[in-house]
Amino acid sequence: MASLAQTQVEVPLPMMQASEALVPVLADHGFSLVEGASPGAAELLFAVGRKAFRNAMQGSARITDTGSGSLIELWLDVAPGESKTLLDGRRNRATLKEMAEQVEARVGRA
């Protein structure tokens, strides 16, 4: 099973504000922005180190204007160089689902 997971959520915020609203959600899940990524950007790269029973992961977010708000697209995968397990895809999908729900709870849904 593939370890790459992806999801999307529409929010009623302009792109910059949607990007800024995503950063605390990432932090709540243990992720930090990689060097060079900054809140408010249209694309964000984020990562978290290895934890007990969990590989190091990296992800990305792309925020695009929808006219009535923004679309946040999220991807999450095992970090390069990490061995993949059968449960990585399921865990990554669950993590992204929680993150999307948390974004919706904080800022609403478009």
Side-chain angles (χ1 to χ4, degrees), residues 7-86:
T7 194
Q8 59 187 31
V9 60
E10 288 188 53
V11 296
L13 298 174
M15 286 175 46
M16 180 180 254
Q17 290 176 348
S19 178
E20 291 170 345
L22 179 59
V23 173
V25 173
L26 295 172
D28 288 349
H29 288 271
F31 292 96
S32 55
L33 296 180
V34 298
E35 189 174 332
S38 62
E43 293 194 25
L44 299 173
L45 299 175
F46 52 92
V48 66
R50 178 184 289 265
K51 295 181 180 179
F53 307 110
R54 186 83 191 213
N55 287 325
M57 297 181 295
Q58 74 177 30
S60 62
R62 181 175 43 213
I63 300 93
T64 54
D65 182 31
T66 62
S68 61
S70 298
L71 176 67
I72 301 173
E73 297 174 277
L74 297 163
W75 293 270
L76 184 61
D77 202 354
V78 173
E82 291 283 319
S83 60
K84 296 181 181 184
T85 69
L86 292 174

